[in-house]
Amino acid sequence: MNPTIEQLHSHRSIRSYTDRLVPEEDLRTAVAAGQRAATSANIQTYSVIHVTSQAHRLKLVELTGNQEKVAACGAFLIICGDVRRHRLMAERAEQPCVENLESFLLCAVDASLFAQNMVIALESMGWGTCYIGGIRNDLHGVNALLQLPPGVYPLYGLCVGEADESPWERPRLPVDAVLHQDQYPQDQQILTQLEQYDDDMAAYYQRRGASGRRWISQMEQFFANPRRTKDRSFYESQGASLS
């Protein structure tokens, strides 16, 4: 272990915050750290919207499924894939700016690497964080609120603030269930590892007072039906090509 690895292992998703605001200087420091993440061909297809309007924050609580922490945290950010600047460069040069599924994936990958670097930087400064996928519950509503131009694709939100809770460490899959040598393992090996992990999660839930809760049954329910089926039509309305 070294300080960097210890910092990574200390991550917890924080869902309860004090009313302390996050200084602009800390946000700028974190964004600069985020920009040092790898980016395919240096395209840097990401942007972050810092939502400071309390009226906007309250509306985003509604749009994210009544997640009160969106308004209560010290700063709320929306992480976006962004090819707007690339479109403008192409337009000025009277050149095409061709997009397809690969370019959209590059946006999502670039933005996620950027965001995770930001999170590590913020947590190293003592701030708590929590990703908010709930903005995809109503992307049209988010877009109307923020008036994002074509080529900007909101992907998820990020709460940042001073933690008002100290969550327990949540077990992850064992390394051997994720790290494979030379080839993917046989199905039965995977299922055996998942059953062992399910027992670990059951013990975790029991300690939290949720006796009887199981991880495998949660995953079965999670993937039983399509989720957020309007996402594709929204991103295509913003100019993305997913073919």
Side-chain angles (χ1 to χ4, degrees):
M1 298 287 279
N2 60 47
T4 301
I5 294 175
E6 289 175 358
Q7 179 67 54
L8 291 167
H9 278 273
S10 71
H11 169 74
R12 308 286 188 274
S13 291
I14 300 300
R15 295 175 173 83
S16 180
Y17 297 89
T18 72
D19 59 4
R20 181 183 172 197
L21 298 179
V22 180
E24 182 73 15
E25 180 181 358
D26 286 6
L27 290 177
R28 294 183 68 86
T29 297
V31 169
Q35 290 180 274
R36 301 315 303 170
T39 168
S40 180
N42 202 32
I43 56 176
Q44 303 176 75
T45 47
Y46 48 73
S47 287
V48 54
I49 310 293
H50 180 199
V51 183
T52 59
S53 163
Q54 190 61 18
H56 281 23
R57 295 266 293 268
L58 290 172
K59 181 63 176 177
L60 285 165
V61 168
E62 175 188 334
L63 293 173
T64 57
N66 297 317
Q67 297 193 51
E68 299 291 343
K69 56 185 172 289
V70 168
C73 61
F76 186 68
L77 312 175
I78 293 184
I79 310 299
C80 302
D82 183 355
V83 293
R84 181 66 181 176
R85 58 179 74 95
H86 304 80
R87 290 183 176 198
L88 293 175
M89 287 187 287
E91 182 179 324
R92 186 175 63 181
E94 298 183 347
Q95 295 287 333
C97 185
V98 179
E99 296 181 55
N100 62 359
L101 177 59
E102 172 66 7
S103 61
F104 185 80
L105 287 174
L106 289 176
C107 281
V109 171
D110 259 21
S112 295
L113 295 173
F114 162 75
Q116 186 62 12
N117 257 30
M118 277 187 58
V119 163
I120 295 166
L122 288 162
E123 292 181 346
S124 77
M125 291 186 276
W127 299 106
T129 64
C130 185
Y131 286 108
I132 305 295
I135 70 159
R136 297 192 303 279
N137 289 351
D138 189 345
L139 285 166
H140 287 285
V142 170
N143 192 57
L145 184 69
L146 301 179
Q147 300 182 355
L148 301 174
V152 180
Y153 312 125
L155 299 172
Y156 42 83
L158 181 66
C159 290
V160 185
E162 183 177 59
D164 196 27
E165 62 175 350
S166 182
W168 291 348
E169 179 181 357
R170 182 179 298 184
R172 296 293 200 234
L173 287 164
V175 171
D176 287 341
V178 177
L179 176 62
H180 313 306
Q181 300 297 333
D182 295 323
Q183 62 186 21
Y184 202 79
Q186 297 296 311
D187 291 351
Q188 188 54 54
Q189 181 180 341
I190 297 169
L191 290 171
T192 298
Q193 291 168 332
L194 294 181
E195 289 165 0
Q196 293 170 347
Y197 177 66
D198 193 48
D199 290 338
D200 293 339
M201 285 298 296
Y204 165 78
Y205 289 136
Q206 186 169 14
R207 288 196 302 273
R208 289 184 50 189
S211 181
R213 190 173 175 184
R214 307 289 299 198
W215 181 79
I216 286 179
S217 60
Q218 283 182 273
M219 294 302 101
E220 289 169 348
Q221 292 175 18
F222 188 92
F223 287 99
N225 296 291
R227 301 171 64 84
R228 295 174 178 145
T229 55
K230 297 179 181 179
D231 288 6
R232 176 170 184 158
S233 63
F234 168 78
Y235 289 128
E236 288 177 336
S237 75
Q238 281 293 95
S241 174
L242 303 181
S243 61

